Amino acid sequence: ATSTTLLLLFVIEYTGQPHLLSRRLRWLLWLAPLLIIALAWTNDWHHWFWSGFAPGPASTNWLIYRHGLAYWIAIAYIYSLSAIVLYLLMRARSQMLPKPYRQQIVWLMACVVFPMVGGVIYLIAPPPIAGLDTTPLAFSLTGLLLAWNMANQRMFDILPIAHHLLIENL
């Protein structure tokens, strides 16, 4: 629940756009993740997040959860924030930036898309893999891709950003 909010805050800072969020709005962004966590923790009392479960395919030992209204609202919130993140990254990539910086943004966009695809696969999975949450696997791929981006693309080196700002301000 918190990863997408943290990702949005990171991308806003990474793309040099901290003016997009006021201090108050930054704090308000945390209300939804805290509510999502609270609803998940207290699900046994109200069943708004998961309304029940059923056994998975016969050859597996997992459960298929039936999702309640709160789950779908949480998914809508998470995917909305992910879409905003992708928009901000695409907008930053379209600016006149040095090539290494644009490549870093493309890899970062791929890191955002992997968990989204993993979540969609989980939500629409056909019966042979129904109930298998592929989102954690997608996050693992995202972690590997981020590590590669930091090692090979020098993602957090300040030089491309500093170069861009220096040239822009000349």
Side-chain angles (χ1 to χ4, degrees):
T2 61
S3 62
T4 313
T5 303
L6 289 168
L7 177 65
L8 176 65
L9 294 173
F10 166 74
V11 166
I12 286 172
E13 291 295 327
Y14 183 75
T15 59
Q17 303 176 74
H19 60 279
L20 292 178
L21 291 178
S22 67
R23 178 179 266 192
R24 182 177 180 194
L25 189 52
R26 286 177 191 264
W27 283 107
L28 286 175
L29 276 174
W30 288 105
L31 287 179
L34 292 175
L35 183 60
I36 291 167
I37 292 168
L39 287 171
W41 281 349
T42 60
N43 188 69
D44 287 343
W45 298 333
H46 49 71
H47 302 285
W48 292 349
F49 213 79
W50 297 287
S51 59
F53 56 88
S59 62
T60 67
N61 63 353
W62 62 71
L63 297 173
I64 299 175
Y65 287 88
R66 288 187 216 108
H67 302 114
L69 179 62
Y71 178 87
W72 294 111
I73 292 171
I75 290 295
Y77 173 78
I78 289 167
Y79 277 81
S80 296
L81 283 189
S82 297
I84 292 168
V85 164
L86 285 173
Y87 169 76
L88 291 173
L89 289 171
M90 285 188 278
R91 192 172 83 180
R93 189 191 181 289
S94 69
Q95 295 173 348
M96 295 296 290
L97 297 173
K99 185 178 179 181
Y101 188 57
R102 287 193 312 264
Q103 288 174 330
Q104 292 171 5
I105 290 177
V106 168
W107 287 110
L108 193 54
M109 287 190 308
C111 290
V112 174
V113 170
F114 275 138
M116 292 175 75
V117 170
V120 168
I121 290 171
Y122 167 67
L123 293 173
I124 63 170
I129 59 168
L132 177 63
D133 192 353
T134 52
T135 311
L137 175 63
F139 271 111
S140 299
L141 293 173
T142 294
L144 291 172
L145 190 55
L146 275 175
W148 181 86
N149 198 2
M150 287 187 281
N152 294 328
Q153 299 292 320
R154 300 169 51 167
M155 182 176 171
F156 292 116
D157 282 1
I158 195 152
L159 187 60
I161 300 166
H163 179 267
H164 170 67
L165 290 175
L166 178 68
I167 299 300
E168 185 177 286
N169 289 321
L170 279 179

